[in-house]
Amino acid sequence: MVAPAKSPYRVVGTRPVRPDGTDKVTGRANYGSDIRLPGMLFGRVLRSPHAHARILRIDPSKALALPGVKAVITHTDFPAAEDAVADLGETSSNLKWLVDNVLASDRALYHGHAVAAVAATDPHVAEDALALIEVEYEPLPPVLSVHEAMNEAAPRIHPNMHTVEMMARFTPGPRSEHDIPNVASHLRMEIGDLDAGFADAEVVIEREYETGTSHQGYIEPHNGTALWNEHGELTVWLSTQGPFAMRDSLARVLKLPVSKIRVVPMEIGGGFGGKISAYMEPMAAVLSKKTGRPVKMIMQRDEVLFGTGPTSATYVRVKVGAKRDGTLTAAEAYLAYESGAYPGSPVGAGGMCMFAPYRVPNQRADCYDVIVNKPKVSAYRAPGAPAAAFAMESTLDELAEQLDIDPLEMRVRNAAVDGTRRIDGVAFESIGNEAVMTAAKESPHWNSELQGENRGRGIAMGFWTNGGQESSAYATVNSDGTVNLVIGSVDIGGQRAALAMQLAETLGIDYEQVKPLVVDTDSIGYTFITGGSRTTFATGWAVHEAGLEIQRLLEDRAALIWEADRELVHYDDDGVIRGPDERSLSFTEIAKQLHRTGGTVQGKADVTPEGVGPTFACHIVDVEVDPETAKVQVLRYTAIQDVGTAVHPAYVEGQIQGGAVQGVGMALSEEYVYDSEGRMRNASLLDYRMPTTLDVPAIETILVEEPNPGHPYGVRGVGEVPIVPPLGAIASAIYQATGVRPRTLPASPRVLLEELLPDDEG
Amino acid sequence: MATVFIPALMRDLCGGRHSVEVEGATLRQVLSNLEPECPGLYALVVEDGMVRLGIQLAVNGVTSSSGLLRAVPEDAEVQILPAMSGGQRSAAP
Amino acid sequence: MQDLRYARASSVADAVRLLADGGPTARILAGGTDVIVQARERTREISLFVDVKHLPETMALRSANGAGLVIGAATPCYRIYGDADVARDYPSIVDAASLIGGTAIQGRASLGGNLCNSSPAADGVPPLIALGATAVITGPGGERRVPAREFATGPGQNVLGAGELVVSIEVPAPTPGSGVRFLRFIPRNEMDIAVVNVASALRFEGDTVAEARVVVGAAAPTALLVEEAAQALVGQPLTEETIETAAAAARAAVRPIDDMRGSVKQRRHLAGVLTGRTLRDAARRARGEEVASHP
Amino acid sequence: MSSRIIVTAEINGEPTEFLADERDSLLDALRERLGLMGSKEGCNNGNCGACAVLLDGRLVNSCLVMAAETEGARVTSVEGLAQQDRLLPVQEAFLDHAALQCGICTPGFLVATQALLAENPDPTEEQVRYWLAGNLCRCTGYDKIIAAVLDAAGRAATPAG
């Protein structure tokens, strides 16, 4: 089933213009950096030039003497700092890490680590002041890769930290018998009997893979404006994926009750997981407290690259066993992911996702979270999965080739189906994995012939699951028959539209009758982040529930108006309330009468939905590799994905296309380049190479609509999985084109050329 | 009876077993009843009366943030999983 | 942005005076695509911008028949590649001007600025050297002319003395039988600094190469005129063999460095590849065949 | 010490006099001095195109223009594209094609597209991609943007009835 022949919905599945669209094409939409307040000061951050250094002394006196400079802060200005310092040791040091990552305390742990911040009357003056803050450093040897970090001789970045055997990140289990240097945690997932599985195999191959550090690359730099007023109330305006998550972080760092903090989400210019953590916001708050004035802070682009959270650079070793007919018998992986300066890489997710599209009875993944002197990693679209999938998909491809089986057929033969157990023990239910593979097999792209020299075609699968968590919504009926829909989920790419559509569907009214509004943390119940592929799913659920409450209340009102038996009054799918004696009132008609019959009506819902739907994707890519320069050009790209019900298909396609192109960047051109001292050398959008319009072709999409039975409209999260398959697909395509299989990504021309060049040249 | 799947690194607490069957109508009851079978496991999963940050519990494969009060149907499967969704709270320090 | 002043020159003489008065930290502001970034990122000390975009001399673009081409030092790229005469007679200049940065950069960036920024990887410079162009310099001591190949003296360094500025660039008129081509290698397809770039200029007499210039950029402290490549070509028909000899000469002549944008091995190899490709295209253009600069 | 200058320019069709810091870029001046927040700062060194404006009709990055340079010049930012209450075809096309997700790059793309169509009313897909290569978008993978631009060219060519 590629798409249902006839949609059961009136609004869901259509492609209306987004409610915030006009503001966004006229320049009127207010993003975080667009805010201007009376008396506002401008803040800037001084950052460490060293990857690892003891901070001996910070002297702000010259900066403070500069006219226009109003305040300088360091780590000690945070109220939580004192407690946090005491919280050393091997147990959960979350708070210390959180505070230290915002502003370094005794040591700077990466190039770009914030060490001080200044507020001044003018942005130019604030910048001038940075140069006047004196910091004395004692440089320490940096640790720059998982291999270096895990070596016995490596300096311990957190001397008191020991490896814990963890269920998951930040959850200490027993201390490991083998304390591995700079490894914060080791997580093992296992099902079946691995040894038996490999004994059963007729072919076994084991390969190693590495990926570089890449950044979410949102075009809008981080920003935050804070006003801490005389009553001790803090208001922060910013671009964030999670206003409530930010409120929580601020409360912890600043030791404030959440009720004293109001976070106002402005429009957000991209996030992809990177705009959740606190960076400058607590600094802006403390600078505001110190000066009594609002303080606005905006990162420069280089700060975004070296001062926020990119994704992990990774090392993955994978071993796969199969029968001659291609049946997989066992799969084992060793994953070591850089977490940056503090624990918390997404290595567990990598281990959990890499084998998920396949039915492998015996599996094990050992996942290591490794500290290095680089920025603390942050979530980035399907965190951890792309690198791990690259390793598995490449190995599977090689296995298929050895067994002389078509790579897609190899996947079809081993496809996970309902009832197949994942490595974490969960059995799949109602998944679209096979449907995606079938759609790939039937796609025009797969059935086209690839002609021309130096060209190759690759295919790869990807898996991700979407999140549930809390969401709130309420909706008020206006007398003109419209509805104000109030939500706490930030709109990062069409969420207002997708949510308004679901409410319109529930109420049987037109999309245009719903006016969605994103509000601050004082104005709605706790709503988890816009991220984790959860908003259309979970906030959509809340919106639906709010709609159902409106239905019930309007039934009550109609019964009252008609003096009819409540049981005989029904709100029908077409938005008409019908009662006895063929009486009926349309939504608009009853809306008009509300004020005269007892007042307005409001539906509300706070939900924590279960029933999250796992998603699968299959990408097909054709590339051409210039044999003389090793430059890879993507010629054609098709992304097939199980999207559940596509609420607004254009934005679903957009998620897939955007995710695929970010994956192309990871595969071909994006990586952090460090020198031997651990300084990032390419902290600009010139040299951190995100794909341009010329680097990618049109991205064809095939939406496989396998509705999620766990959601009223069958919604599955769609945003993350499209970044998972591109790495493996492109690597395989390069192999087909050149005979060289990239095992380190990005496969930049520089790296690939080494493989393609004749040895005698030079 | 619910079947609790034991994560690899907690199996030595349970005599090496991959899964254990216990009674319980809620996750809290299931985990409490598991304790005699797998001493020490409860403290690894529960902190201050709540599921630890970074862990999620799945009932029949479905995770939720409803915590320990969640109902466990008869013959359900319960898994103890690492939290992993994009941007989960635990992704940030 | 470091603290600086802005002054708009009302004449070339005014620009010279402003520069001289401003001292060593005064800089000419043409398109600004390099110097504004340098001032903002404080990679170069600048206290004064002297804007020269309001002077007829620096904004010129004249290609009188047979008398060569005069490009004002501040004339932006888009005007250069948008000019039909330049496109016909000096296509390698169009090759370069149409790929420096993106469209918005080309709305401002100038070849004079590219020359004066003196980056070893400047895309505008190799075609000028290959065409035998001359920088017309004015300063407190009057006017002087310096060949483009002698202009840069090292990364970020050039022959300009105190108070001197480049007013224009003169390019000799093409001779019959000549063809030119510029290509660069970048990892993306736009918006990158060249890993290596090469400009080639050929003049044929019949089938024989009568004159050849191969200039390799980003592979030495300044763009490199590879005499050995020319020697391998001149006096013979252009064949795959002579092209390979020239490419080998380019590979042998370059003195590249390893940096974040490319490795020594990669640059050396690419110098050969691009030498071959530019020579083939230059020959096509010499024969009157169409070789497009850009879509 | 910073010094202040007064600049007179035509901003979005209006003769405008504004006070600027001599160090201000045109982007700084538009946003901080004139309150025109439509032009966005994505990289502040000419590599993303989010701040693109027309300077005397020519597409430039406003972060790479000094405010002082605009004395006597004409500047058109995204706020100046729409005529009275009518969106331009390119603005309509971006909405209809869902060519924006977060929308932060959109002002730059719209200004750049307007400049393209003024010069080449009927571009090929390759020409569109070439012209827009200096405008980065991280959300869309460009697919729907290119479709919207090609559609806008068609709409502009067909006068509304």
Side-chain angles (χ1 to χ4, degrees):
Chain A
M1 186 188 74
V2 170
K6 189 166 180 298
S7 168
Y9 305 119
R10 296 167 39 262
V11 179
V12 166
T14 61
R15 301 176 178 231
V17 168
R18 58 196 288 171
D20 51 331
T22 304
D23 280 352
K24 286 181 178 166
V25 298
T26 53
R28 286 191 204 109
N30 279 307
Y31 292 75
S33 61
D34 299 339
I35 191 156
R36 301 206 297 173
L37 298 171
M40 191 166 78
L41 301 176
F42 299 85
R44 284 294 299 268
V45 179
L46 182 69
R47 296 178 182 276
S48 169
H50 303 288
H52 194 187
R54 208 178 306 285
I55 299 170
L56 302 176
R57 187 178 62 91
I58 303 176
D59 179 0
S61 53
K62 284 185 184 144
L64 286 166
L66 186 70
V69 172
K70 298 297 176 187
V72 174
I73 60 163
T74 64
H75 183 83
T76 54
D77 288 289
F78 287 137
E82 208 172 303
D83 292 1
V85 172
D87 188 24
L88 281 168
E90 68 191 60
T91 57
S92 172
S93 288
N94 281 353
L95 182 59
K96 175 168 172 59
W97 291 331
L98 174 61
V99 179
D100 274 11
N101 196 35
V102 172
L103 263 176
S105 55
D106 53 334
R107 283 179 304 148
L109 293 183
Y110 53 93
H111 171 218
H113 198 164
V115 296
V118 58
T121 50
D122 180 283
H124 299 297
V125 176
E127 188 194 319
D128 287 340
L130 294 183
L132 298 174
I133 300 172
E134 291 175 8
V135 184
E136 198 182 325
Y137 296 100
E138 178 196 337
L140 300 169
V143 176
L144 299 171
S145 72
V146 294
H147 306 297
E148 266 180 56
M150 293 169 79
N151 189 304
E152 266 314 318
R156 263 56 166 187
I157 297 172
H158 296 294
N160 296 316
M161 187 188 78
H162 298 282
T163 306
V164 289
E165 299 292 5
M166 296 204 331
M167 191 37 242
R169 299 171 294 213
F170 308 116
T171 309
R175 183 152 149 189
S176 173
E177 291 164 33
H178 310 286
D179 191 29
I180 309 167
N182 297 308
V183 171
S185 65
H186 167 221
L187 167 68
R188 170 174 288 183
M189 289 177 282
E190 186 171 16
I191 56 167
D193 181 337
L194 199 70
D195 293 339
F198 279 118
D200 204 24
E202 291 167 315
V203 190
V204 175
I205 58 174
E206 183 170 13
R207 297 287 182 264
E208 296 174 287
Y209 303 88
E210 298 200 10
T211 61
T213 303
S214 55
H215 194 273
Q216 299 84 352
Y218 33 80
I219 303 299
E220 177 204 43
H222 289 254
N223 56 73
T225 302
L227 174 59
W228 194 317
N229 75 10
E230 295 74 5
H231 299 291
E233 294 157 341
L234 173 64
T235 305
V236 177
W237 296 260
L238 81 168
S239 302
T240 178
Q241 292 176 247
F244 286 90
M246 183 57 69
R247 188 180 72 171
D248 290 344
S249 295
L250 287 166
R252 294 179 69 203
V253 175
L254 303 173
K255 297 224 150 175
L256 279 179
V258 292
S259 59
K260 290 282 188 190
I261 304 170
R262 183 165 72 104
V263 174
V264 185
M266 309 291 285
E267 297 300 330
I268 178 169
F272 315 106
K275 286 195 187 140
I276 301 166
S277 304
Y279 295 106
M280 300 174 307
E281 301 82 0
M283 297 189 234
V286 172
L287 285 168
S288 175
K289 188 181 187 189
K290 270 198 151 179
T291 59
R293 292 167 69 168
V295 177
K296 173 168 165 176
M297 301 183 81
I298 303 173
M299 282 193 196
Q300 292 292 299
R301 177 53 58 175
D302 57 354
E303 298 182 272
V304 172
L305 286 164
F306 54 54
T308 69
T311 190
S312 302
T314 71
Y315 166 80
V316 180
R317 189 169 67 233
V318 60
K319 182 176 169 188
V320 183
K323 297 284 210 187
R324 295 231 165 267
D325 67 0
T327 309
L328 298 176
T329 61
E332 182 183 14
Y334 170 102
L335 306 94
Y337 279 29
E338 292 180 3
S339 68
Y342 304 98
S345 77
V347 65
M352 198 245 122
C353 289
M354 61 191 295
F355 303 135
Y358 309 109
R359 200 174 52 241
V360 192
N362 309 293
Q363 309 180 33
R364 179 190 291 163
D366 282 296
C367 310
Y368 295 88
D369 187 35
V370 187
I371 310 285
V372 293
N373 288 115
K374 294 183 183 174
K376 162 71 180 72
V377 302
S378 179
Y380 178 16
R381 205 168 202 152
F390 158 54
M392 175 57 182
E393 295 297 311
S394 296
T395 307
L396 203 56
D397 234 55
E398 208 173 332
L399 203 55
E401 189 182 31
Q402 274 194 22
L403 296 171
D404 198 22
I405 299 172
D406 169 85
L408 180 50
E409 181 56 31
M410 179 80 181
R411 287 162 170 92
V412 171
R413 280 185 203 175
N414 290 289
V417 294
D418 290 353
T420 302
R421 273 193 204 285
R422 303 196 303 233
I423 196 167
D424 58 7
V426 169
F428 281 124
E429 213 177 318
S430 303
I431 55 170
N433 191 31
E434 271 190 309
V436 165
M437 291 183 190
T438 304
K441 220 168 163 178
E442 292 167 356
S443 67
H445 189 167
W446 189 249
N447 289 292
S448 69
E449 203 176 323
L450 179 62
Q451 289 170 330
E453 280 180 45
N454 305 309
R455 294 182 171 189
R457 174 171 295 167
I459 190 166
M461 291 295 299
F463 166 78
W464 190 252
T465 169
N466 57 284
Q469 308 274 10
E470 290 163 81
S471 277
S472 281
Y474 60 91
T476 311
V477 180
N478 296 314
S479 60
D480 63 356
T482 60
V483 183
N484 290 343
L485 170 61
V486 180
I487 49 178
S489 285
V490 171
D491 186 346
I492 207 164
Q495 281 77 15
R496 285 183 182 91
L499 295 171
M501 290 172 77
Q502 292 184 67
L503 183 60
E505 190 71 52
T506 304
L507 291 177
I509 59 177
D510 290 342
Y511 163 75
E512 291 74 16
Q513 286 172 266
V514 182
K515 301 195 300 171
L517 189 66
V518 180
V519 296
D520 65 52
T521 53
D522 278 5
S523 310
I524 185 111
Y526 195 99
T527 298
F528 196 62
I529 59 169
T530 294
S533 303
R534 66 172 293 278
T535 305
T536 306
F537 170 82
T539 308
W541 197 312
V543 163
H544 172 68
E545 295 276 346
L548 293 179
E549 187 174 11
I550 289 177
Q551 286 191 5
R552 285 192 296 275
L553 293 169
L554 292 181
E555 285 169 346
D556 290 349
R557 190 64 58 89
L560 198 68
I561 293 169
W562 293 329
E563 296 179 6
D565 182 353
R566 172 68 179 80
E567 296 303 308
L568 300 176
V569 177
H570 291 288
Y571 194 111
D572 288 335
D573 286 351
D574 58 357
V576 178
I577 306 161
R578 293 188 174 82
D581 307 326
E582 297 193 12
R583 286 175 192 241
S584 69
L585 278 169
S586 72
F587 183 84
T588 307
E589 287 166 348
I590 196 168
K592 248 180 238 164
Q593 301 187 27
L594 290 178
H595 290 302
R596 291 180 281 111
T597 58
T600 193
V601 155
Q602 179 170 300
K604 58 187 188 312
D606 304 284
V607 302
T608 302
E610 298 170 2
V612 294
T615 51
F616 294 86
C618 180
H619 289 196
I620 308 168
V621 60
D622 296 347
V623 304
E624 180 170 318
V625 184
D626 184 330
E628 290 186 321
T629 65
K631 182 160 156 174
V632 179
Q633 185 68 34
V634 178
L635 302 174
R636 183 173 182 185
Y637 203 105
T638 303
I640 302 111
Q641 185 173 320
D642 166 23
V643 298
T645 302
V647 174
H648 192 308
Y651 285 104
V652 172
E653 292 159 6
Q655 286 291 324
I656 294 172
Q657 291 162 336
V661 169
Q662 285 183 320
V664 170
M666 281 182 173
L668 293 177
S669 59
E670 293 180 35
E671 65 181 317
Y672 279 33
V673 179
Y674 287 94
D675 66 16
S676 60
E677 307 293 305
R679 290 192 185 91
M680 186 179 180
R681 302 296 301 160
N682 62 332
S684 76
L685 294 185
L686 181 63
D687 289 310
Y688 180 80
R689 299 187 184 94
M690 308 200 294
T692 71
T693 48
L694 282 172
D695 299 315
V696 286
I699 308 293
E700 301 163 51
T701 57
I702 297 176
L703 308 185
V704 178
E705 297 201 60
E706 194 77 33
N708 178 3
H711 186 276
Y713 293 118
V715 170
R716 291 178 197 267
V718 298
E720 293 179 287
V721 75
I723 202 173
V724 183
L727 286 68
I730 287 174
S732 294
I734 291 171
Y735 170 71
Q736 294 299 332
T738 64
V740 170
R741 195 175 279 285
R743 301 201 189 274
T744 299
L745 295 184
S748 63
R750 175 187 194 146
V751 172
L752 198 54
L753 190 66
E754 293 284 334
E755 305 278 351
L756 298 182
L757 268 191
D759 289 337
D760 57 344
E761 184 170 285
Chain B
M1 294 282 264
T3 305
V4 183
F5 286 72
I6 310 298
L9 294 175
M10 295 182 184
R11 284 175 196 160
D12 52 356
L13 303 174
C14 312
R17 282 176 291 175
H18 287 218
S19 65
V20 180
E21 295 198 349
V22 287
E23 296 283 354
T26 66
L27 283 171
R28 181 153 59 198
Q29 289 172 14
V30 167
L31 289 174
S32 300
N33 295 341
L34 190 61
E35 190 60 11
E37 304 275 339
C38 311
L41 188 143
Y42 190 88
L44 292 178
V45 177
V46 180
E47 182 181 39
D48 296 335
M50 290 185 285
V51 182
R52 276 184 190 274
L53 217 57
I55 280 187
Q56 39 185 0
L57 297 174
V59 177
N60 287 330
V62 175
T63 57
S64 153
S65 51
S66 302
L68 295 173
L69 303 179
R70 209 166 151 207
V72 178
E74 193 61 23
D75 298 329
E77 288 186 358
V78 174
Q79 276 100 3
I80 303 164
L81 307 176
M84 61 159 282
S85 285
Q88 287 279 13
R89 216 172 317 204
S90 49
Chain C
M1 178 71 68
Q2 54 194 275
D3 201 1
L4 52 72
R5 301 293 157 93
Y6 167 89
R8 182 177 289 185
S10 57
S11 65
V12 172
D14 189 35
V16 171
R17 185 184 55 77
L18 285 164
L19 270 186
D21 291 353
T25 56
R27 298 287 296 181
I28 293 292
L29 178 65
T33 54
D34 287 317
V35 285
I36 291 177
V37 175
Q38 289 160 4
R40 178 173 296 137
E41 297 179 352
R42 303 181 185 227
T43 50
R44 192 194 281 269
E45 197 189 342
I46 300 174
S47 62
L48 175 70
F49 277 147
V50 178
D51 187 348
V52 294
K53 289 190 295 301
H54 298 267
L55 313 177
E57 296 88 342
T58 55
M59 296 299 281
L61 188 66
R62 293 190 308 276
S63 55
N65 242 346
L69 171 69
V70 176
I71 306 172
T75 302
C77 286
Y78 82 90
R79 279 186 56 209
I80 298 168
Y81 65 69
D83 185 286
D85 293 337
V86 177
R88 185 188 60 240
D89 295 337
Y90 309 91
S92 62
I93 293 180
V94 172
D95 293 338
S98 60
L99 55 66
I100 292 175
T103 319
I105 299 290
Q106 293 154 14
R108 296 262 296 169
S110 64
L111 291 187
N114 207 225
L115 202 57
C116 293
N117 191 51
S118 302
S119 158
D123 288 319
V125 174
L128 295 178
I129 295 176
L131 288 167
T134 304
V136 180
I137 297 169
T138 296
E143 189 175 280
R144 63 185 178 118
R145 284 172 157 70
V146 174
R149 63 175 291 199
E150 292 167 17
F151 188 84
T153 54
Q157 296 169 332
N158 57 48
V159 299
L160 286 180
E164 283 191 318
L165 70 142
V166 176
V167 174
S168 60
I169 297 158
E170 295 177 350
V171 188
T175 45
S178 66
V180 292
R181 179 61 157 144
F182 170 79
L183 286 171
R184 69 175 176 184
F185 180 80
I186 55 173
R188 287 187 290 192
N189 289 307
E190 262 287 8
M191 302 300 290
D192 267 332
I193 304 293
V195 178
V196 166
N197 55 24
V198 176
S200 288
L202 291 173
R203 186 174 62 81
F204 288 90
E205 283 174 7
D207 284 341
T208 306
V209 176
E211 229 181 309
R213 286 205 193 89
V214 174
V215 183
V216 183
T222 61
L224 200 65
L225 179 68
V226 186
E227 306 279 4
E228 300 82 355
Q231 286 160 16
L233 298 166
V234 171
Q236 314 173 58
L238 189 73
T239 65
E240 281 305 313
E241 288 69 37
T242 60
I243 287 172
E244 178 44 39
T245 312
R251 286 197 297 269
V254 295
R255 305 188 301 278
I257 57 165
D258 258 318
D259 66 11
M260 63 169 166
R261 291 178 180 138
S263 67
V264 168
K265 188 174 177 186
Q266 181 190 21
R267 287 190 159 117
R268 191 177 295 284
H269 171 78
L270 290 172
V273 171
L274 295 184
T275 295
R277 290 181 179 183
T278 51
L279 286 170
R280 287 184 205 101
D281 281 357
R284 276 186 209 116
R285 280 180 172 164
R287 290 195 296 269
E289 291 174 29
E290 182 76 19
V291 178
S293 289
H294 61 87
Chain D
M1 263 328 290
S2 300
S3 56
R4 297 285 164 130
I5 50 170
I6 292 171
V7 180
T8 307
E10 186 189 309
I11 311 283
N12 294 329
E14 291 290 326
T16 306
E17 202 177 62
F18 62 91
L19 189 67
D21 188 293
E22 206 158 358
R23 300 194 246 181
D24 283 350
S25 65
L26 174 56
L27 178 63
D28 295 334
L30 288 172
R31 292 179 56 83
E32 301 298 337
R33 315 293 171 196
L34 291 163
L36 291 168
M37 294 297 191
S39 304
K40 301 303 182 191
E41 179 181 312
C43 72
N44 212 15
N45 54 13
N47 295 313
C48 78
C51 68
V53 300
L54 304 181
L55 179 64
D56 291 327
R58 176 57 37 184
L59 183 69
V60 300
N61 291 319
S62 62
C63 71
L64 292 188
V65 176
M66 299 304 292
E69 287 184 82
T70 61
E71 174 67 37
R74 268 182 306 124
V75 177
T76 306
S77 66
V78 66
E79 290 94 338
L81 291 183
Q83 304 298 313
Q84 278 93 39
D85 59 344
R86 283 185 66 113
L87 296 179
L88 291 179
V90 60
Q91 291 170 309
E92 298 274 8
F94 266 61
L95 293 179
D96 292 344
H97 286 267
L100 54 142
Q101 285 179 31
C102 80
I104 200 82
C105 70
T106 308
F109 269 98
L110 291 171
V111 172
T113 301
Q114 199 53 19
L116 165 66
L117 297 182
E119 195 160 299
N120 180 0
D122 187 24
T124 63
E125 178 180 339
E126 197 184 9
Q127 287 168 333
V128 172
R129 287 186 180 273
Y130 183 75
W131 183 275
L132 295 176
N135 290 79
L136 292 177
C137 169
R138 194 59 161 173
C139 295
T140 64
Y142 303 110
D143 191 284
K144 294 186 187 303
I145 292 176
I146 304 300
V149 172
L150 291 169
D151 185 24
R155 291 188 198 195
T158 321

